[in-house]
Amino acid sequence: MSAELSEGQDLDRLEDEEQTSEAQRRLISGGMASIPEYYAGKNVLITGATGFMGKVLVEKLLRSCPDVKALYILVRPKAGQSMKKRVSDMMKCKLFDRVREENPDFHQKIIPISSELTQPGLSISSEDAERLTACINVVFHCAATVRFDEPLKHALQLNVIATQQILALAQQIQHLEAFIHISTAYANCNRKYIDEIIYPPPVEPKKLIESLEWMDEDIVQEITPRLIGDRPNTYTYTKALAENVVQQVQDKLNICIIRPSIVGASWQEPFPGWIDNFNGASGVFIAAGKGILRTMRANNEAVADLIPVDMVINLTLAAGWYTAVHRPKTTMVYNCTTGGINPFHWGEIEHHVMLSFKRNPLEQAFRRPNANITSNYLINQYWVLVSHKFPAFIYDLFLRLCGQKPQMMRIFNRLHKAISLLEYFSSQDWEWNCENGNMLMSQLTPEDRKTFNFDVRQLNWPEYIENYCIGTKKYVLNEDMSDIPAARQHLRKLRNIRYTFNTLLVVFIWRVFIARSQMARNIWYFVVSLCFKFLSYFRASSTLTN
């Protein structure tokens, strides 16, 4: 058996040596390989392939680089769901409809590898490790926890230690041409100006890992605020550490780092508005569309640095091509942001999100969409009390009287927690240097610029926000667009209920006030008499005209 395995590996190695890629041949002859030509015949390893960005990366590679040899994806088996079942479910996703039409057998190029990022050696079997080290050409490391409130120990394990382990595996790969690490534009958010360089880490990663290893969770949780310092959460803190871990092996590997800002729904590919999660802006948009979110603390004038996921993936694939073909002497860092080139502000987002959800309302909305942004803490707390907590209390009281389980206060508490985690990013601006992205764009052929477009200057923000909102309706909430007339009718019903309630409330308060004040009664009778006089005059005028 071992002899057969060895013979098979020898054949694979011989095949790799004999089959010089088209990209390499063109480079030797003085030409420049296009991006699809470079990835043709390549074996690609992807971590985090079942996540939001990972799925888009897999789909784009299969559709725009159809001659890629194979995609090896690290997959964690879940309780009650095998690795193969997870991959099968992923490939049934609507995201893959276009590639499915063009190549019904695309799934044959996807090879799942059982792995667990929190385990030593990534829990990859020796057979799989040997297979990967023998054939992989490019590694895309997308796996990470993106939860802002992740406990430090767990965030360190997933974002730093797992990166160390995937780098250790990469150093054993015999034919590795490029290693692409996905970071975040907010890894250095404690700085106002962020250049395309790797900054010194807040602490030496190795020392921190060794120090926290013996501590229990309670101690770690207690010292976390002091450790992360002027960073807002464990996510940005551990991402900064991970960049330093990558930098430590830059002399041994061809590496580049991609730093996207707030990754949102797709701009164009595989179709506008594709999104599959409630993270970040998506959850805020849905809460506003449902009428649950009525107030949010943010700076109307601050730049909302959203970046469409397909633009991030296009830049990532182009950067992988450039890293492998040009082999830069130092680690290239790409700030993938929009604010400095095509800015769009939180106040503008609020306006267009509300317009979109009034045109294309969500089904069974709690209230009509009417969210407001304020930077004033006291005003925000007032509206939280009046527009969030009080209606939630009344609704839960109604549910209790009907014998049902109260739920709205719990929903609002979760919403407030999520919004509070975003306040740091929605209340201030950053300036990112994006020169490397501009340089990369200039290196692409006209065809590659079209196929792998990451030019954020072409973004039409109002159109993008509308597609984003429709995408949350279609792909996250799985609502049918044909039901929009019924949803609009529901909003009209909610509007009428609101007007009736407000009118009755005003009348009730005024009547109570009248009962206690002679002056209020006099004013009330004066206003009523004026109304009767006006009606009498209008009736007399109509009679004379006739």
Side-chain angles (χ1 to χ4, degrees):
M1 179 70 179
S2 60
E4 291 176 1
L5 183 62
S6 177
E7 185 180 349
Q9 290 171 349
D10 290 340
L11 288 172
D12 288 340
R13 199 173 295 112
L14 183 63
E15 183 180 335
D16 287 333
E17 292 171 357
E18 290 176 349
Q19 292 184 345
T20 305
S21 70
E22 179 67 21
Q24 291 169 326
R25 285 199 291 272
R26 289 190 62 173
L27 277 173
I28 291 169
S29 63
M32 180 64 68
S34 68
I35 295 176
E37 286 174 343
Y38 168 71
Y39 286 107
K42 294 292 191 291
N43 289 304
V44 178
L45 174 64
I46 302 173
T47 71
T50 56
F52 175 50
M53 284 180 58
K55 281 188 279 195
V56 179
L57 175 60
V58 169
E59 192 276 340
K60 179 66 176 179
L61 262 172
L62 291 170
R63 180 167 49 82
S64 298
C65 303
D67 294 324
V68 66
K69 188 173 182 181
L71 305 184
Y72 292 80
I73 62 175
L74 300 188
V75 182
R76 175 173 60 90
K78 283 188 174 180
Q81 192 178 32
S82 67
M83 174 186 68
K84 290 183 179 179
K85 181 70 167 59
R86 285 193 71 189
V87 175
S88 175
D89 289 346
M90 180 186 83
M91 289 187 291
K92 291 176 184 175
C93 175
K94 184 174 177 60
L95 173 70
F96 293 92
D97 282 359
R98 278 185 63 182
V99 72
R100 191 178 291 111
E101 289 175 7
E102 296 170 12
N103 179 17
D105 297 324
F106 75 95
H107 61 276
Q108 294 180 1
K109 290 190 175 185
I110 299 177
I111 303 171
I113 302 291
S114 180
S115 175
E116 174 56 73
L117 296 183
T118 60
Q119 298 301 314
L122 303 175
S123 194
I124 299 175
S125 68
S126 57
E127 292 83 2
D128 285 337
E130 195 169 346
R131 183 183 187 185
L132 294 174
T133 55
C135 74
I136 294 299
N137 305 113
V138 182
V139 175
F140 291 99
H141 179 42
C142 307
T145 175
V146 296
R147 283 183 54 189
F148 289 170
D149 58 347
E150 193 79 71
L152 180 57
K153 250 188 172 180
H154 198 230
L156 197 68
Q157 178 67 55
L158 291 171
N159 293 346
V160 182
I161 299 175
T163 300
Q164 286 180 329
Q165 297 192 95
I166 198 71
L167 285 167
L169 174 65
Q171 290 177 67
Q172 299 173 38
I173 295 175
Q174 300 165 20
H175 307 291
L176 186 64
E177 298 173 14
F179 184 100
I180 298 88
H181 173 70
I182 307 298
S183 183
T184 171
Y186 297 101
N188 302 285
C189 58
N190 55 327
R191 301 170 181 269
K192 282 299 179 183
Y193 175 79
I194 301 168
D195 207 346
E196 292 179 307
I197 61 173
I198 301 174
Y199 289 96
V203 66
E204 177 61 39
K206 184 179 179 182
K207 290 181 180 178
L208 180 65
I209 292 166
E210 291 173 351
S211 300
L212 297 187
E213 197 171 13
W214 58 270
M215 296 185 190
D216 60 33
E217 290 292 344
D218 292 337
I219 297 175
V220 175
Q221 188 172 355
E222 188 176 336
I223 66 172
T224 293
R226 280 177 287 172
L227 284 173
I228 65 177
D230 52 1
R231 284 181 171 82
N233 50 53
T234 57
Y235 170 68
T236 57
Y237 180 73
T238 53
K239 278 300 205 179
L241 296 177
E243 287 192 3
N244 178 256
V245 166
V246 171
Q247 186 182 34
Q248 290 173 9
V249 297
Q250 64 180 354
D251 295 334
K252 302 173 184 176
L253 298 172
N254 251 352
I255 297 175
C256 74
I257 295 175
I258 312 296
R259 288 180 183 157
S261 49
I262 304 171
V263 182
S266 62
W267 172 44
Q268 292 179 330
E269 296 183 292
F271 32 77
W274 187 81
I275 184 78
D276 72 342
N277 61 76
F278 290 89
N279 295 335
S282 307
V284 175
F285 290 179
I286 291 171
K290 285 285 189 180
I292 296 173
L293 177 67
R294 284 300 180 93
T295 183
M296 175 179 168
R297 193 175 175 214
N299 184 350
N300 279 281
E301 302 303 319
V303 173
D305 213 298
L306 279 174
I307 183 78
V309 64
D310 48 338
M311 282 191 164
V312 179
I313 296 307
N314 287 340
L315 172 62
T316 300
L317 288 170
W321 160 82
Y322 185 84
T323 303
V325 172
H326 291 269
R327 296 181 174 271
K329 293 180 180 179
T330 59
T331 299
M332 295 288 291
V333 178
Y334 299 89
N335 287 335
C336 187
T337 61
T338 57
I341 304 169
N342 185 2
F344 200 61
H345 304 89
W346 285 105
E348 294 173 289
I349 282 188
E350 174 222 321
H351 173 71
H352 288 287
V353 167
M354 292 302 100
L355 281 181
S356 179
F357 280 127
K358 285 172 182 175
R359 281 194 296 261
N360 309 287
L362 302 179
E363 295 175 15
Q364 297 301 311
F366 178 61
R367 289 176 296 192
R368 297 183 76 245
N370 187 26
N372 290 292
I373 286 178
T374 177
S375 57
N376 187 290
Y377 174 79
L378 292 177
I379 292 176
N380 180 64
Q381 288 302 306
Y382 168 77
W383 285 115
V384 165
L385 180 65
V386 172
S387 295
H388 288 182
K389 293 186 176 181
F390 180 68
F393 173 77
I394 297 296
Y395 190 78
D396 280 351
L397 181 63
F398 173 74
L399 291 177
R400 279 194 173 95
L401 292 174
C402 294
Q404 299 179 38
K405 186 178 179 181
Q407 58 180 351
M408 285 310 298
M409 191 61 79
R410 188 180 73 254
I411 291 172
F412 274 108
N413 287 337
R414 288 173 59 188
L415 176 64
H416 293 153
K417 182 180 178 182
I419 294 296
S420 68
L421 294 172
L422 293 173
E423 275 184 14
Y424 179 90
F425 304 98
S426 60
S427 301
Q428 52 187 315
D429 289 310
W430 287 267
E431 184 183 351
W432 285 277
N433 178 9
C434 297
E435 288 181 5
N436 286 343
N438 295 333
M439 178 279 298
L440 180 60
M441 198 180 305
S442 70
Q443 296 292 317
L444 302 183
T445 64
E447 186 62 31
D448 280 350
R449 284 186 204 175
K450 183 179 178 182
T451 307
F452 300 89
N453 187 4
F454 54 88
D455 185 359
V456 299
R457 291 170 296 185
Q458 297 179 24
L459 263 176
N460 180 318
W461 282 111
E463 180 185 349
Y464 173 70
I465 293 298
E466 176 149 18
N467 287 331
Y468 197 150
C469 293
I470 292 172
T472 61
K473 177 180 176 68
K474 291 169 65 176
Y475 309 123
V476 180
L477 301 177
N478 295 313
E479 296 182 2
D480 198 324
M481 296 297 287
S482 63
D483 293 330
I484 282 181
R488 287 176 182 157
Q489 180 63 34
H490 180 68
L491 285 192
R492 285 193 288 270
K493 180 181 175 182
L494 290 175
R495 180 196 59 194
N496 295 337
I497 290 172
R498 179 189 173 195
Y499 287 165
T500 303
F501 175 79
N502 289 347
T503 302
L504 292 174
L505 183 63
V506 169
V507 170
F508 174 76
I509 293 173
W510 184 247
R511 291 297 297 172
V512 170
F513 188 55
I514 286 174
R516 293 172 179 265
S517 169
Q518 181 62 42
M519 182 181 292
R521 282 197 295 273
N522 292 339
I523 293 172
W524 173 256
Y525 294 141
F526 176 71
V527 170
V528 170
S529 64
L530 276 179
C531 290
F532 274 112
K533 286 179 181 178
F534 175 76
L535 289 173
S536 300
Y537 173 77
F538 180 75
R539 194 178 299 116
S541 299
S542 299
T543 304
L544 288 172
T545 302
N546 292 332

